[in-house]
Amino acid sequence: MNPIVIIPARLAATRLPGKPLADIHGRPMLLHVAERARSAAIGPVVIAGADPAIIAAAEAGGFRAIMTDPALPSGSDRVFAALERHDPDGVFDVVVNLQGDFPTIDPAHLRAALTPLADPAIDIGTLVAPIRDDAEAALPSVVKAACAFAHEATVAPALYFSRAVIPHGAGPRWHHIGIYAFRRAALARFVALPVSPLEARETLEQLRALEAGMRIGCARIAEGPFGVDTPADLARARALLAPARPGEGGAA
């Protein structure tokens, strides 16, 4: 595999306007994410922006940035548009779609998202983390993945994703983490597909891939990163990333 990481970003956000450029200790949140992606050392990092301010911030931070059409409907569409412009010759055969609101993400998790693609039958790799309790499982904002890991396996096929509590019965449940490693051909096919019925019903774009017969593999991690969606989340990110005081350990 020859991966590239692309981070789609736009300023429009209902709950936290201007989110990618939110300041975290003197740097935009987007750059914290990009720096962690670079630390994963799986390939170059490109920012696919929908606004001139995002492009300017990315370039000021030393990252390659590509302006994409603000009218594109999703982050996946933005990632594909940036990929085609950055790499028209198809040098990179895997693209990691990383959301720009994971400022505390562990670089090892990006490497983990690639592991399902060791199976040539898998089109898309993604991540899941254990759901801790019934209260977490009941939250519609926590997307559940129906997958089952055999014995000590770290990768399992995804059978379905839902905002409902799935699967039924006793046993572990898995929280889907919205980071994707697409084979390039799979991403090209995915963005060309129309919105599918179950995707529209659950408002989960990964269901479009499953309905089209594409295969998604889930790699399990011990704990997922948290996404910044609200001012409270931003305050938490600032606390976790606060510079260490003399004599203290480093931040997350």
Side-chain angles (χ1 to χ4, degrees):
M1 291 185 287
N2 188 21
I4 184 172
V5 181
I6 301 184
I7 305 171
R10 63 191 186 101
L11 292 180
T14 303
R15 289 183 287 179
L16 191 61
K19 178 169 65 171
L21 301 184
D23 181 85
I24 299 178
H25 304 296
R27 304 206 78 193
M29 177 167 61
L30 180 64
L31 292 186
H32 286 271
V33 178
E35 286 164 356
R36 287 179 175 245
R38 180 181 280 168
S39 296
I42 59 176
V45 178
V46 174
I47 293 170
D51 308 272
I54 286 176
I55 302 300
E59 292 177 342
F63 287 91
R64 171 86 162 100
I66 295 175
M67 185 70 184
T68 56
D69 186 348
L72 288 171
S74 73
S76 297
D77 292 284
R78 204 169 306 289
V79 165
F80 183 68
L83 177 66
E84 292 290 278
R85 283 190 53 195
H86 178 72
D87 181 35
D89 297 326
V91 172
F92 300 103
D93 60 355
V94 170
V95 55
V96 176
N97 179 348
L98 172 61
Q99 295 181 39
D101 56 6
F102 287 141
T104 65
I105 187 168
D106 185 340
H109 292 167
L110 295 182
R111 295 191 289 270
L114 296 171
T115 57
L117 299 183
D119 180 348
I122 295 295
D123 299 294
I124 305 166
T126 193
L127 300 174
V128 294
I131 290 177
R132 294 163 295 187
D133 52 42
D134 290 343
E136 181 182 3
L139 294 172
S141 59
V142 174
V143 177
K144 276 66 71 174
C147 56
F149 294 88
H151 306 296
E152 299 300 316
T154 57
V155 174
L159 302 182
Y160 192 66
F161 297 88
S162 183
R163 297 185 184 278
V165 181
I166 59 169
H168 177 71
R173 293 194 176 97
W174 299 97
H175 179 186
H176 178 233
I177 310 301
I179 297 168
Y180 299 96
F182 285 90
R183 296 193 194 277
R184 187 172 185 142
L187 179 60
R189 181 185 174 199
F190 177 79
V191 299
L193 291 168
V195 173
S196 68
L198 289 173
E199 174 188 6
R201 183 169 178 173
E202 294 251 25
T203 62
L204 297 174
E205 70 173 359
Q206 62 269 42
L207 294 177
R208 185 193 322 173
L210 291 182
E211 287 189 84
M214 300 171 76
R215 295 190 63 188
I216 301 176
C218 300
R220 62 177 178 179
I221 57 177
E223 185 175 0
F226 80 94
V228 174
D229 289 316
T230 67
D233 294 335
L234 181 58
R236 180 184 174 194
R238 287 170 174 157
L240 288 171
L241 294 171
R245 297 176 181 176
E248 294 181 345

